[in-house]
Amino acid sequence: MSRLASSLCGIELRNPVLAASGTFAYGLEFAGLVDLAELGGLVVKGLSREPMDGNPPPRIWEAEGGMINSIGLQNIGVRAFVRDKLPALAKIPTAVFANVFGYSTADYVEVVRVLEGEAGLAGYELNVSCPNTQHGGIFFSNDTALLAEVVEAVCRVARRPVIVKLSPNVARIEPLARAAEQAGAAAISLVNTFVALAVDARHRRPRIGAGFGGLSGPAIKPIALRLVYEAARAVSIPVVGLGGIATGEDAAEFLVAGATAVQVGTATFWDPSSPLRVARELERFLKEEKIASVREMVGTLRMKENE
Ligand SMILES: Cc1cc2nc3c(=O)[nH]c(=O)nc-3n(C[C@H](O)[C@H](O)[C@H](O)COP(=O)(O)O)c2cc1C
């Protein structure tokens, strides 16, 4: 797959298609379904300082063209991850990223500090779509100062590249993308899910136990593409694009819009091998279009007729 060879903030990738966080467990659970060594990379489920049980059921609702989830960031906690998952993950020759979240800057720093002592990771992805409980519940991802504070603090302790995963639930993405870059992010990824509500009109109840959830899947792709395009023009660090990618051509669209690499999330719910299939389909697309390297496609969208 040499046409697909890519690099992301200094990390060599076999191909630019990664499995997204939260839809690929800790990677190992998919070993019987996918040859993990063939993946461009994988991002594990979000890790917190302590284990978390997550939200009450129902946690998932199938929407038109996508799904709404409110898992509540259930995870085994960073120490159990290091003890029970990382040793086997580290043996897989693919780029493994730890997705990290918290409810204070200190939470993020502590999770990364624990992971810094361990081998087997290519980098970190910070999920900043969480409320900062020490600042009145304001979301890190909605406030440039809070975002800069957490990214700077993590970058001080991290020797590995830090990717900051932005939320789409903002009026303008550019100030947040620039704040992450200036605070030391090696790359940004976007999008996380769109806050959404599914209603059961007969019972006058939300379909999701926690009330609101996050919309993902094909329904969000056009909005994700717009946000990736805007973010890529605002910063000079690489952008990792995701949101509704299910085919090789979807991935190509994100690359053209400005993404250096992409991730596949919800599509793994109906096709667990979709990150690998998307990479193969992308390779076929490159062959058909006579493009020698996937790198040539990045940011080539001609928005206006005369560009
Ligand atoms: C069930 C589920 C769990 C998720 N968990 C996480 C998570 O732990 N951390 C994170 O950063 N994103 C999480 N996400 C967001 C996805 O990684 C991705 O950003 C989003 O779903 C959009 O991509 P997609 O349309 O390809 O799914 C989750 C998404 C889903 C559907």
Side-chain angles (χ1 to χ4, degrees), residues 207-248:
R207 301 277 191 188
I208 291 280
F212 296 156
L215 180 66
S216 62
I220 71 170
K221 193 185 76 170
I223 324 178
L225 275 167
R226 190 262 298 171
L227 288 159
V228 164
Y229 174 79
E230 289 177 336
R233 284 169 71 99
V235 296
S236 48
I237 50 175
V239 172
V240 181
L242 72 159
I245 297 177
T247 68

Side-chain angles (χ1 to χ4, degrees), residues 21-22 45-46 69 73 99 127 165 191-193 216-217 242-244 265-266:
S21 179
K45 174 68 188 166
N69 90 82
L73 293 166
N99 183 282
N127 174 4
K165 183 170 183 180
V191 295
N192 211 318
T193 55
S216 62
L242 72 159
T266 299

Side-chain angles (χ1 to χ4, degrees), residues 28-105:
L28 301 170
E29 296 80 353
F30 284 70
L33 300 162
V34 186
D35 181 359
L36 299 175
E38 292 286 313
L39 293 171
L42 66 92
V43 189
V44 301
K45 174 68 188 166
L47 299 167
S48 51
R49 245 170 131 139
E50 304 300 333
M52 282 178 53
D53 292 338
N55 283 340
R59 293 171 162 198
I60 284 177
W61 176 255
E62 187 173 347
E64 293 82 2
M67 62 186 257
I68 298 176
N69 90 82
S70 182
I71 305 299
L73 293 166
Q74 178 186 0
N75 79 103
I76 59 176
V78 66
R79 288 180 182 78
F81 171 76
V82 162
R83 191 187 59 227
D84 302 336
K85 306 287 180 183
L86 193 52
L89 265 181
K91 294 198 183 107
I92 299 162
T94 192
V96 177
F97 293 85
N99 183 282
V100 171
F101 73 94
Y103 298 97
S104 68
T105 293

Side-chain angles (χ1 to χ4, degrees), residues 95 148-149 273:
E149 180 193 292
S273 70

